[in-house]
Amino acid sequence: CSVGSRIMTILADGTVLADSGQNPLTMENHLNRSEVSAARETGSGMAIRYSDTLRMQMIYYAVAVRADGTLLGFVRTALPDALVQRRLSQMVQLVFAGALAAVLLSLIPSYWLAWRLSQRLAEISAGAQAAAQGSLAQNLHAAGDTELDALATSINTLAASLRTQLNLAVGERNQLQAILGGMVEGVIAVDADERGKGDRHRSDDDAR
C-alpha cells in the first residue's frame, strides 16, 4: 500500500514470496537487508531508510519465522516514517489532552472546597464580630464535625451564655426598679459603718 502499511513474506534464502505493494517476481533478494539480517540473528530487526520504490522514508520491521528450530523465512512490515511520526504526534496530543482534562477535573472540586471554606470563614468571622458588638441573637450553622464547625459551636455557646447573663441582669434591674418605685418612704444609702454620705463629710470636717 502506497500510503499505509506494507507487508512482505520472505523465504529463508531472501527470496520475496509475497508483497502487498509490488509484484514479488520483480523484486530483488532481501536477505542482506539490515532488518532481515538482524531478524536472522536475534529473531527481530528494525531499520529506517529511504525507499527507492516508494520514494519516501520508511520504517521496516522484520520477524523470523521458525519451526522446530529451523528458519522458514521472515515476515516484514513497512510503514512510512511520516505516518508513524504523525500518529506518534497524535498520541502525544491525546495523552496531553487527557492529562490536562484530568488536572482540570481535579481542580474543580479543589476550587469548590476552597470557595466553600472561604464562605464558612466569612460567615464565622461575621458572627464573631456581631457578637462582639452586642448582637447575640444570631446562631451560626454548625452541623458538621470539622474544626470550623467546632469554632462556630463555641461562638454559639458563648453568645448563648452572654444572652443568659444579660437577661438575668436586665431582670434584676427591672426587679430593683419595681421595688424602689413602690416605696413611699425615703431611702438613704450607707456604707459598711452605717454612715451616709453626709456623715462622711462631717467626719472629714471634724478631722480637719
Side-chain angles (χ1 to χ4, degrees):
C1 178
S2 59
V3 294
S5 62
R6 179 181 176 187
I7 300 177
M8 176 184 296
T9 303
I10 306 170
L11 296 178
D13 61 358
T15 302
V16 178
L17 180 64
D19 185 81
S20 62
Q22 193 176 354
N23 185 355
L25 298 178
T26 62
M27 302 180 68
E28 61 184 9
N29 190 285
H30 280 54
L31 189 61
N32 293 326
R33 299 296 172 90
S34 59
E35 67 278 4
V36 176
S37 298
R40 186 176 65 248
E41 298 296 331
T42 63
S44 64
M46 188 183 72
I48 301 175
R49 62 175 178 272
Y50 184 80
S51 173
D52 295 328
T53 303
L54 299 176
R55 296 183 179 181
M56 65 178 66
Q57 192 81 356
M58 300 290 291
I59 299 177
Y60 299 95
Y61 185 77
V63 177
V65 179
R66 301 178 185 272
D68 297 330
T70 302
L71 178 64
L72 301 180
F74 309 91
V75 175
R76 191 188 74 166
T77 183
L79 283 172
D81 182 59
L83 177 62
V84 174
Q85 296 299 328
R86 184 165 63 250
R87 290 181 178 176
L88 285 176
S89 178
Q90 292 173 350
M91 290 179 61
V92 170
Q93 292 175 2
L94 287 175
V95 171
F96 178 78
L100 181 60
V103 170
L104 291 177
L105 289 176
S106 65
L107 287 178
I108 290 175
S110 299
Y111 175 80
W112 185 86
L113 289 175
W115 176 82
R116 181 60 182 152
L117 179 61
S118 66
Q119 292 293 104
R120 290 285 288 139
L121 286 174
E123 177 187 356
I124 292 175
S125 176
Q129 291 179 2
Q133 294 173 0
S135 178
L136 305 176
Q138 63 178 342
N139 189 37
L140 296 175
H141 177 73
D145 56 357
T146 65
E147 294 181 358
L148 291 180
D149 291 316
L151 177 59
T153 300
S154 298
I155 294 177
N156 290 337
T157 302
L158 177 61
S161 177
L162 291 176
R163 283 198 303 268
T164 301
Q165 294 179 16
L166 181 60
N167 291 335
L168 289 175
V170 171
E172 291 177 356
R173 184 197 63 185
N174 293 338
Q175 184 179 11
L176 181 59
Q177 287 179 348
I179 293 173
L180 293 177
M183 296 179 65
V184 294
E185 295 84 0
V187 177
I188 298 176
V190 298
D191 58 14
D193 297 328
E194 297 184 354
R195 291 184 300 176
K197 183 177 181 181
D199 294 338
R200 286 198 299 272
H201 288 323
R202 285 194 297 273
S203 297
D204 293 340
D205 292 339
D206 293 342
R208 290 195 293 270

